[in-house]
Amino acid sequence: MSDDPETARQIDELSRDTRPLLVCDIDEVILEFVRPFIGFLNAQQLHLKTDSFRLHGNVVEQETGAVVEPERVSALLDGFFAAQEDWQTAVEGASECLQRLSAGAEIVMLTAMPHRHRDRRRNLLDKVSFPYPLLTTETAKGPAIHRLRGKTDRPVVFVDDIPHNLVSVQKSVPDAGLIHLMAFSELVPLLPPLPVGITMAENWQDAEAAIAGRLGLSY
Ligand SMILES: [Mg+2]
């Protein structure tokens, strides 16, 4: 599915900013995702196995251990995003770090969630102190960030938990600073290997120092 004209219009508007650009993914970076999704599943007598890095195939019936069908997992995920305001909370330190970074950088939040959940997400982000512009994309993140950078060669940093998103940005914006951050740290050892050049941050304190250094911010 391609992005809608409204997203393209928003990107063009944001790309006129000439300050250093920080683009943050949302789930597992700004908002807790895995932990609350486990709670959402448990409330329906389901369990998420966390011994490999995937959702489909890892959701099982609590009582029998039977694997939940992929279509139902997709529906559960959709139901979770529809009810995100009841479940998701801010990742520790994220709001404070971004507030400090916003003094010298343009901050944009970029999520791969379907467009139809955008209003709910906007409400939740405002409620937990992330007032930055929000873009939802149903296509690869690399080309979106290439366009967001605009006509200048301003420094760019991208933070995400999913390796293929970091790789997508590495391809489209080769000089971007790339930071891996995942709030649910138990899954980090199960990630596929990350390419060279990606900084692993354990928490927002780590990430903030790496971002500020890469964007040339001092405060
Ligand atoms: Mg994410």
Side-chain angles (χ1 to χ4, degrees), residues 159-214:
V159 189
D160 204 299
D161 63 306
I162 304 289
H164 74 79
N165 290 334
L166 292 159
V167 171
S168 167
V169 176
Q170 196 171 43
K171 280 188 190 139
S172 297
V173 189
D175 63 329
L178 301 170
I179 296 176
H180 181 270
L181 178 64
M182 183 177 235
F184 195 80
S185 55
E186 292 98 294
L187 283 180
V188 173
L190 304 173
L191 287 170
L194 285 160
V196 175
I198 293 174
T199 302
M200 302 293 286
E202 275 187 26
N203 50 42
W204 263 101
Q205 198 183 355
D206 269 8
E208 183 180 11
I211 294 164
R214 191 70 191 224

Side-chain angles (χ1 to χ4, degrees), residues 1 12 19 38 42 44 52 54-55 57-58 69 71-72 86-87 110 112 116 123 142 148 153 173 178 209 212 214:
M1 200 185 292
D12 288 343
R19 290 174 296 168
I38 288 172
N42 292 348
Q44 299 172 74
S52 63
R54 56 180 190 164
L55 286 180
N58 275 352
E69 294 294 307
E71 298 73 30
R72 191 176 163 210
D86 298 332
W87 294 94
L110 178 64
R116 64 181 175 281
N123 288 341
L148 263 176
D153 57 356
V173 189
L178 301 170
R214 191 70 191 224

